[in-house]
Structures are given as structure tokens and as C-alpha cells.
Amino acid sequence: MKRAVIFTLLSFALWACTKPHSVVKNRQNLYFDKAERLLNEQKSDSAFYYFEKSASTSKDSLSVAMAYNYMASIQSDAGDIYGAQESLTTSLKYLDERKKENRYCLSSNYNELGMTSSRLGNFDSALSYLDSAIKYTDEQTYRYTFLNNKANVYRRKGSYKQALRIYRSILNVTEKGGKYYARLLSNMTYTQWLDNTAYPAAGGLRYALQLRQQLKDHWGENASYGHLSDFYSATKADSALIFAKAMYTIAKELHSPDDQLSALEKLIHLSPGDKSKGYFDKFNRLNDSLQTARNAAKNQFALIRYQSEKHKADNLRLMQENTKKEDEIFRQRLYLAIGLILLIGTTIWFRNRRQRLLLEADNRIRHYRLNLMQKVHDVVANGIYRVMNEVDYSDNLDKGYIVSQLDEMYEQSRKISQDEDINVQEDFSDKLERLANAFKSSDIKLAFSGNEPELWAKVNHRVKRQLEIVVQELLVNMAKHSHASQAIIDFEQIRDDLVMKYRDNGVGFPTDIHKGKGLQNTENRINAIGGHLTFEAHEQRGARIQIVTPIQ
């Protein structure tokens, strides 16, 4: 149970860090001043609008960079991570690292890029950005904050030794008894426990909580309750439940939906069955509400950006309409130059086109061979393994059934050799159930959720065919490599997409995983039908895979 909630806590701990923004002297921009006032009044949408206007009208590059920095912070808080990264990279374009007055905004941008990258699981990029933030900061306090953020990234990455070295280096120069000391102590103690679950972390975690309570640091209390709940989850479930409830209470007081979700996730795992269901219902309602709000915010930010760009385009069009015609001689020379360029470009294009056609022909042959190898692996090899598995673990398996399965594989093999599509018309829900039954045994429990005929009736046959092969590949890997005793596959329609989630309690993926042929083939199949696959690489926590693909 302890390992199951570590990811949630790590995510919270990272974002509980102080985020220093580029708050420097006013650059004499009325839109910027108004945006800051609105942001202080917690009117984020209006503040974003005026920061956008400030960025589009200011002639001072630092003011423009600061405006984009603020917009990124607003987007990040609203859950629009990709939008925040776009604003941050735009902000960097207006900054000159050689200018001292730009260094404050540079360090803030790189810190925010590190935080967003870590939130997306891009830990190496996050560490690189945070190194840049440390490089450009001139204030020791912010330097310690960036180092703490860097240690948190190492912790999320699972590099506990590196994280602990940074925590200790900061803790040794931090005054005892303050908020920052309590945060460092809690983070370091918790990381020591993650690195060695036998480490007696209770004393340090409780002392950090006591300091935070004395200082009325409610955000810090929230983090401490999460740490303590995880620490006790494996040894004292009743204590873990008490701290999870305390975290949920204070998260509601802080109006932090993300922390409420984290606390509810712990309560679901720690509570008895009847109460766990109640917390599960609360979790779903809150999560749905949060996603709706964040989607609305993303749309609002996109609309503001669109209106701003449209205004710029309209102004440019008016300027172009008012521009005088160029001198006739200049135009003739321009036409001559364009003609020469076109002549040269056409010659080069024809030569390159010939080379490209040769290369494409070679690639088609290579692709055909790879596709044939993939079909043999997915259809024949995995199919034979499935039948072997059924023979090993099924007590009531008659000869006729085995013959029918082998005959089906023979037909599929023949179609592969003749380069025909494999299109077996039958109830897809029943087909998946039979596939699951082939891998069930006394040692392996396997369950499907959402495998309903009504769902599959909406799904395109090609998508179903690829998903069948992917599911078979996952189950073969589970049976052969993962040492799992339980596996669950969920199917769900979300708008026009089909979402499949796979999880088991096996050894999981190593953090330095290299994609083998099977996993690469699986990813290629999903990409071929317009979907995408994500997986969580973390040893000893079981496999976690999510596939999102269009229904049609």
C-alpha cells in the first residue's frame, strides 16, 4: 500500500516548493500594472488578458519577458502545462543573458520550466533547466529554493542518494526553526525513508510537523500529513488513516483541489470497504470538476491569445494597405531575381526529388519486411504462447477447442503470407474475455473493466484489431516477465477517444528501460491508428500503461 501512494506524494512535494517569480521594477506599462493588480485580487483570467496586451504593446523587451513569465505562472496554476511552457520559451526570447537586469527573469523562467518539465515526467530536462536557474540567480535565498526543487526532481526520478546530498548541503546552512528549515527537514527525512524503508523517519517527520504547526504554515502542515500518512501506511494503518484525514481537512481549508485529490487517494487505500467507496465517489466528483474547470481555463487562455493575434494581424493588414507601391525598376529587378531563384530552385528540386524517390522505394521495401516480421510476432508467436498457456492451466480443455484455435492461427498465418487483412467477425467483448481466460491461472488474477458490447459497437474494426494484438502482447509480457499475481485492464470512452489503462503488481519497468521489439511494435501499432501510449517506468511498483486512441 505504501508504494502505491508514493507517486502522489512526490508530485505534491515538488509543487509545494516556493516559486520565485520575475517581480522587478515596473517598466512604465499601464497594462502591466493593471494585470498585476488583478492578479493580486485573484482574478486570473482578467490578469492574463492584460498581461497579453502588455506583451503585445510594450516596446521594452524586459517588460514583454516579464508579462510572458506571469502568464506562464497563471497557466501552470490552471493546469495548462504545455501552454505555460510555450509562454516561458517565448519569454526567454526577449531576454539577454549578458544584461544583469535580465538575470532575475531568466532564473525565474528556467525554474518554472524545470517545474513544468518535472510535472510532465521529463526529469532530465527539468534538472537541466534548474541548473540554468541556479546559474542566473544572484540571490542566495532563491538559489537554495532552486536547489531544493532540484532535489525534489531527483526524488521523483528515484535518485534518492543525489537528492539527499542536496538536502543536506542546504540544511547545514539553514537557520533552524523556520519554515524553510521545516520543509527541508521533512523532505530530507521522507527521502531517507524512501531510500531505506527501515529508516526511523517518524521523529524527523513529526518534528517538522510540529514546527509547521507552531509557525501556522498550513501548506507545510499539508505536506507533512502526506509524508506521515505514507510512512505509517505499511506499519500502522490506523495512524496513516488519521494523517490522511488531517491532510484532507487542511487541503479543503486551503481550497487546494490537487491536494484534496491526493488525500482522497490515500483515504481510498486506507479506509474500510464501505467508507472507501464514499471517498472514491468524492474523488471522482472532484476530479471531474477540476478537469472541467481546467479545460475551461485552457480554452479561455487560447481565446485571449487568438484575439490578440487577430488584432495584430488586422493592424498589419491596415499598414500593408497604406504602404505605397514600390518603384517599377525595383520590382523588375525583384522579378528577375525571383526568376533566377526559381530556376535554380527547380533544378535542385528535380535532383532532390529523384534521390527522394529512390530512397522512398528502398524504405517501402524495408517497411514491408518490418511489417511482416511484426505480424508474425504479434499474430503467430503470441497466439501460440496463448494456446500453450491455456493447455498448461486449463483443466477442462477438449481436443476440438485446441484444434479450432490452431486452425484459426493457421488461417491467420496463411493470410499473412498472402498479404491479406486478418478480419475475423465475432463479438469483440467475448473475444477479449477468452483472451483473458487464456492467461488466468491459480497464480494470476486477471480482470477487465468496461469490456461491454455497447462500447465495442462504436469502435472501428481496425482499432479493435490493433487493440486485440496489443492486449495479447501485454498479457504475454505479464505472464513471461512481470511475475505479477494481479492485472487489471480498464476500457473507457472519453468523448471521441477510447482510453485503455493497464496495471499489474509485477516488477514494473526499470527507470532506465530500453524499448524492446515487443514494446516498440506495440507503440507503432497505436501510432498507426492515430493514438498514443504512455507508460510509467519505475521498478518494484508494477507496470502502468495508458493507451488513448480515436474510436473511429
Side-chain angles (χ1 to χ4, degrees):
M1 183 179 295
K2 173 183 68 184
R3 294 290 182 187
V5 295
I6 283 177
F7 176 78
T8 301
L9 180 59
L10 292 181
S11 178
F12 164 78
L14 181 66
W15 292 98
C17 302
T18 301
K19 298 191 294 181
H21 298 300
S22 309
V23 185
V24 295
K25 290 184 179 180
N26 179 11
R27 309 298 295 181
Q28 303 300 321
N29 189 307
L30 295 177
Y31 289 132
F32 190 96
D33 294 342
K34 186 169 185 177
E36 279 191 313
R37 288 197 302 272
L38 289 166
L39 187 61
N40 291 332
E41 295 169 4
Q42 298 183 349
K43 297 178 180 178
S44 299
D45 288 355
S46 300
F48 187 92
Y49 173 80
Y50 284 102
F51 280 129
E52 177 70 42
K53 289 187 72 69
S54 173
S56 63
T57 58
S58 177
K59 299 185 182 301
D60 178 67
S61 60
L62 182 54
S63 285
V64 176
M66 290 164 54
Y68 278 111
N69 177 277
Y70 269 113
M71 285 189 282
S73 178
I74 293 171
Q75 289 170 298
S76 178
D77 291 340
D80 186 10
I81 305 304
Y82 291 105
Q85 289 186 328
E86 180 182 359
S87 295
L88 290 167
T89 53
T90 303
S91 176
L92 289 172
K93 295 176 182 177
Y94 290 91
L95 296 171
D96 186 351
E97 64 184 39
R98 296 169 295 182
K99 295 181 179 179
K100 186 175 181 179
E101 63 269 24
N102 286 185
R103 290 173 63 84
Y104 199 179
C105 195
L106 277 167
S107 65
S108 178
N109 281 338
Y110 282 120
N111 179 61
E112 294 282 355
L113 280 169
M115 304 285 272
T116 54
S117 295
S118 179
R119 193 169 177 180
L120 293 171
N122 302 325
F123 301 124
D124 292 337
S125 296
L127 293 170
S128 177
Y129 285 131
L130 288 169
D131 284 338
S132 296
I134 295 168
K135 172 184 174 182
Y136 289 112
T137 187
D138 296 319
E139 295 187 23
Q140 195 67 11
T141 301
Y142 284 155
R143 183 174 183 275
Y144 290 153
T145 296
F146 300 153
L147 283 169
N148 180 70
N149 292 347
K150 186 177 178 180
N152 286 339
V153 174
Y154 274 126
R155 183 174 63 186
R156 285 198 67 193
K157 188 179 178 182
S159 302
Y160 302 126
K161 294 290 191 301
Q162 291 169 288
L164 288 170
R165 279 197 293 271
I166 297 175
Y167 286 136
R168 291 191 184 103
S169 69
I170 310 172
L171 196 66
N172 291 335
V173 294
T174 301
E175 183 180 355
K176 293 184 178 181
K179 286 184 180 181
Y180 199 71
Y181 178 84
R183 181 175 64 195
L184 282 170
L185 178 62
S186 185
N187 285 344
M188 187 180 75
T189 305
Y190 182 69
T191 305
Q192 287 175 304
W193 171 71
L194 289 176
D195 188 43
N196 177 14
T197 54
Y199 178 77
L205 294 176
R206 285 182 175 274
Y207 179 62
L209 173 60
Q210 182 182 352
L211 287 177
R212 286 167 157 174
Q213 289 173 333
Q214 291 172 355
L215 295 167
K216 299 188 184 303
D217 178 12
H218 300 308
W219 286 102
E221 285 183 59
N222 186 52
S224 283
Y225 289 138
H227 287 166
L228 285 161
S229 178
D230 278 2
F231 172 73
Y232 283 117
S233 61
T235 56
K236 296 182 180 180
D238 53 345
S239 298
L241 182 60
I242 291 172
F243 286 119
K245 289 180 178 178
M247 181 183 179
Y248 182 54
T249 300
I250 200 168
K252 288 195 293 184
E253 294 173 359
L254 293 170
H255 303 291
S256 174
D258 287 322
D259 294 330
Q260 291 179 52
L261 289 174
S262 177
L264 284 169
E265 199 169 16
K266 299 177 191 303
L267 291 169
I268 291 168
H269 288 288
L270 295 167
S271 301
D274 53 338
K275 292 187 177 180
S276 176
K277 184 179 183 303
Y279 289 130
F280 182 79
D281 292 339
K282 289 182 180 179
F283 178 94
N284 283 336
R285 288 195 298 270
L286 178 59
N287 188 52
D288 290 344
S289 176
L290 181 60
Q291 292 304 318
T292 300
R294 285 181 171 172
N295 288 336
K298 292 177 187 178
N299 292 335
Q300 179 68 11
F301 297 148
L303 179 61
I304 292 172
R305 282 272 171 87
Y306 168 78
Q307 291 173 339
S308 177
E309 292 300 323
K310 185 176 183 299
H311 181 68
K312 292 179 186 177
D314 290 340
N315 287 339
L316 180 61
R317 180 177 54 80
L318 290 173
M319 291 175 61
Q320 292 172 340
E321 290 175 355
N322 295 329
T323 301
K324 294 181 179 181
K325 294 183 178 181
E326 296 290 336
D327 184 79
E328 187 65 22
I329 297 175
F330 173 78
R331 286 187 298 179
Q332 290 176 356
R333 291 177 178 175
L334 178 62
Y335 295 150
L336 179 60
I338 292 174
L340 289 173
I341 292 172
L342 288 174
L343 179 61
I344 296 171
T346 302
T347 302
I348 295 173
W349 180 83
F350 274 110
R351 185 182 64 184
N352 291 341
R353 181 175 181 272
R354 181 175 177 276
Q355 294 175 346
R356 188 177 69 252
L357 290 174
L358 292 173
L359 181 61
E360 287 175 354
D362 185 55
N363 287 338
R364 280 195 297 271
I365 295 172
R366 186 182 296 109
H367 176 73
Y368 174 81
R369 291 175 178 173
L370 290 175
N371 189 46
L372 184 61
M373 291 167 61
Q374 180 177 322
K375 285 183 179 180
V376 171
H377 172 271
D378 292 338
V379 175
V380 181
N382 282 346
I384 291 174
Y385 183 85
R386 183 187 69 190
V387 174
M388 290 168 57
N389 213 51
E390 288 181 285
V391 172
D392 281 342
Y393 296 107
S394 297
D395 295 327
N396 300 316
L397 198 65
D398 60 31
K399 179 178 179 181
Y401 175 80
I402 297 176
V403 170
S404 68
Q405 293 297 303
L406 293 175
D407 183 67
E408 180 181 342
M409 282 187 291
Y410 166 75
E411 288 297 323
Q412 292 176 346
S413 302
R414 187 178 62 82
K415 289 183 178 182
I416 290 174
S417 68
Q418 297 174 1
D419 200 23
E420 297 178 8
D421 271 338
I422 300 169
N423 185 357
V424 181
Q425 298 293 335
E426 62 177 297
D427 189 292
F428 193 73
S429 178
D430 290 341
K431 194 169 191 178
L432 288 183
E433 284 295 332
R434 290 201 305 275
L435 182 59
N437 290 335
F439 290 88
K440 288 180 180 177
S441 68
S442 59
D443 298 324
I444 299 176
K445 294 181 180 179
L446 179 62
F448 281 155
S449 173
N451 181 31
E452 303 297 338
E454 293 80 8
L455 172 63
W456 298 117
K458 307 173 186 176
V459 180
N460 178 273
H461 170 74
R462 184 163 174 258
V463 174
K464 288 191 288 188
R465 176 59 189 161
Q466 298 301 330
L467 281 179
E468 178 192 359
I469 294 174
V470 168
V471 170
Q472 181 172 267
E473 176 70 27
L474 293 176
L475 294 180
V476 168
N477 285 340
M478 176 204 69
K480 293 174 67 175
H481 306 299
S482 73
H483 306 297
S485 61
Q486 294 182 3
I488 300 175
I489 302 180
D490 298 325
F491 299 99
E492 182 183 8
Q493 179 183 355
I494 300 180
R495 292 182 292 277
D496 295 328
D497 290 333
L498 177 67
V499 178
M500 181 187 119
K501 296 179 181 178
Y502 171 89
R503 59 187 185 275
D504 66 38
N505 63 349
V507 296
F509 296 111
T511 54
D512 59 344
I513 183 173
H514 297 287
K515 296 177 182 177
K517 208 65 174 175
L519 185 57
Q520 187 64 57
N521 285 345
T522 297
E523 192 169 21
N524 290 341
R525 286 188 175 279
I526 297 304
N527 291 338
I529 54 177
H532 62 272
L533 177 148
T534 56
F535 66 94
E536 178 183 338
H538 199 303
E539 295 179 315
Q540 306 304 325
R541 288 188 44 213
R544 300 289 188 277
I545 297 175
Q546 177 173 289
I547 294 171
V548 180
T549 179
I551 286 179
Q552 295 293 334

